Amino acid sequence: MRSLSNYRLEWFSNIRADILSGIVVALALIPEAVGFSVIAGVDPKVGLFASVAIACVTAICGGRPAMISAATASTAVLMGPLVREHGIQYLFAATILMGVLQIIAGMLKLGRLMRFVSRSVMTGFVNSLAILIFVAQLPQLIGVPEVTYLLIAIALGVIYLFPYVTKTIPSPLVAIVVVTCIALGFGIHVHTVADLGEMPTALPPFALPAVPLTWETFRIIFPYSVALAAVGLLESLLTAQIVDDLTDTPSNKSQECMGQGAGNIVSALFGGMGGCAMIGQSVINVTSGGRGRLSTFVAGAFLLVLLLVLDDILRIVPVAALVAVMIMVSIGTFSWKSIVDLKRHPGTSSIVMLATVATVLATQDLSKGVVVGVLLSGIFFASKVARLFSVARREDSQTGIVTYSVEGQVFFASAESFIGAFDFGDAGSKVVIDVSGAHLWDITAVGALDKVVLKFRKAGADVQVLGFNKASADMVDRFALHDKDERAAASASLH
């Protein structure tokens, strides 16, 4: 009952602001959806209807209220080869399978993997995306009438100054209306939405992909579906985390995975391409006051109204107004504080952030940048932890017993240093290895302990290992060979 109450709260606790912010987002979705359709090699209506379907479905089924999902560049780039080689019907089939894989990922709770993405990677992701958003506007800024720049400046002025008058109406929506009125009133001829491509005039029919249900079809679409599902979930979960931070509210990442899958399946059944969360439009939504599921649903529903009912009004909106909104998003998305933090933060954190940005900009692929950042974070973390251990040698002159006290973390990255910390040439008659201050994490650590014990035995010393904590003791009991029979110990000494 409490869950149903929370769900209802996510829909109706912020009605006015959610509706207005959703309208702003609907307008901002148009140039993006059309552009991404071109990247994928399909008609603009495929991207536009995908944006409608994915936004509406994820509003109902998703796990992150106020996040906007639609057709995106990161997924569109992967679709181009499939469309060129096999046709659009195979794209629809691949999108359905993409959705199924995402639902399975949600059921397996793979959203929990977000905990392994460091803050440096998140900052790099945000900064690179802000740059890509700005770069995507350059075609609308190059080779256009000079008056276009004036309209963009006016729109930006309204966006940043209107909140000082009132915050009741989202300033990006006011900017779009003002610039449209100026262009019409003064008869200014600039690019409008009508110049972006042919807009749809009717609802798409519900239909299954017209592909043969054979193993050959599955073989063709499966690699694309896996890539699309992985990239879509990665970008969606990162965007969800950013919206979590912006709104200071939690989200259900596993439910979001399933919501993304449901949205993509419905999109394909109505002639749309696959997509995922959009950080740019999500930031527009949040900064315009959107906080609930209603804002996401209104974005998709109002986009459909614009396409089918208000298309005459939509066609006259200057592209300059929409470009200004996206420039505002780019400026607002970029973490300017991260530039100052380059000197203040540890060098490894800065390297991770910069590597993430550089990889994204070089490949135009957000997922590759995140993978590079996560790998570097893991390497730097392992190196740091590997240095946080020590081995102290103490010899009792009366008894001749040599005691080695081990402290810290012993695992694959520190195993070699662990072995090198012992003096096998001066073993004495009895050696005690005290690991009460240490933790053995993996089989590499257990193997290193095997080598140390067997080397001391080979030097003629009687070896005793003591002080294991419970987890380390379990590892040693299961995998160590030095305390097993002589044949196993001899085998260990050879590896």
Side-chain angles (χ1 to χ4, degrees), residues 27-356:
L27 290 165
L29 281 172
I30 295 168
E32 302 288 306
V34 173
F36 300 153
S37 299
V38 173
I39 293 174
V42 297
D43 290 337
K45 63 182 180 182
V46 176
L48 291 167
F49 282 134
S51 298
V52 172
I54 296 172
C56 290
V57 173
T58 54
I60 299 170
C61 304
R64 174 61 265 180
M67 187 169 75
I68 304 299
S69 298
T72 59
S74 56
T75 54
V77 170
L78 300 174
M79 298 172 185
L82 177 62
V83 174
R84 287 194 298 271
E85 295 175 17
H86 301 283
I88 194 170
Q89 293 298 323
Y90 278 83
L91 171 60
F92 297 151
T95 302
I96 291 176
L97 181 56
M98 166 194 181
V100 172
L101 293 174
Q102 290 178 327
I103 291 175
I104 293 173
M107 296 173 65
L108 296 176
K109 300 188 182 301
L110 296 185
R112 294 176 179 176
L113 295 176
M114 279 301 299
R115 70 184 69 179
F116 298 109
V117 179
S118 69
R119 175 60 57 181
S120 299
V121 176
M122 289 290 294
T123 302
F125 172 80
V126 168
N127 287 348
S128 57
L129 194 52
I131 295 171
L132 289 180
I133 290 172
F134 181 81
V135 171
Q137 312 312 311
L138 293 181
Q140 305 298 335
L141 297 173
I142 299 174
V144 295
E146 293 182 359
V147 70
T148 301
Y149 305 118
L150 176 61
L151 293 177
I152 292 174
I154 292 173
L156 288 172
V158 172
I159 288 171
Y160 286 107
L161 297 178
F162 188 77
Y164 290 102
V165 178
T166 179
K167 294 183 179 179
T168 304
I169 304 175
S171 61
L173 179 58
V174 177
I176 292 170
V177 173
V178 168
V179 170
T180 302
C181 291
I182 291 175
L184 288 176
F186 291 91
I188 300 174
H189 297 287
V190 291
H191 286 159
T192 64
V193 171
D195 298 317
L196 295 176
E198 183 179 354
M199 299 292 130
T201 58
L203 281 172
F206 175 89
L208 293 172
V211 297
L213 296 177
T214 62
W215 174 255
E216 178 64 18
T217 298
F218 180 79
R219 188 189 64 80
I220 292 171
I221 67 174
F222 183 72
Y224 291 98
S225 297
V226 171
L228 288 168
V231 170
L233 286 185
L234 181 60
E235 188 165 346
S236 297
L237 294 176
L238 286 171
T239 303
Q241 186 62 52
I242 292 168
V243 177
D244 288 354
D245 295 339
L246 288 174
T247 61
D248 195 25
T249 56
S251 61
N252 187 326
K253 303 299 190 299
S254 297
Q255 183 180 341
E256 184 58 43
C257 291
M258 291 187 280
Q260 292 290 326
N264 283 311
I265 291 173
V266 172
S267 173
L269 292 175
F270 283 95
M273 58 196 282
C276 60
M278 307 179 75
I279 187 172
Q281 277 69 16
S282 297
V283 171
I284 293 175
N285 191 37
V286 172
T287 55
S288 298
R291 290 293 182 275
R293 295 177 182 273
L294 183 61
S295 62
T296 307
F297 186 83
V298 168
F302 190 70
L303 175 58
L304 184 62
V305 172
L306 285 172
L307 296 174
L308 302 181
V309 180
L310 303 178
D311 56 316
D312 290 336
I313 297 176
L314 175 63
R315 294 173 191 276
I316 64 174
V317 174
V319 174
L322 303 179
V323 169
V325 173
M326 297 311 297
I327 291 175
M328 177 271 292
V329 171
S330 176
I331 295 171
T333 300
F334 193 90
S335 177
W336 300 100
K337 184 174 177 290
S338 64
I339 298 176
V340 179
D341 289 340
L342 287 174
K343 291 184 177 180
R344 190 169 62 87
H345 284 177
T348 53
S349 296
S350 298
I351 290 173
V352 169
M353 191 273 285
L354 293 173
T356 302

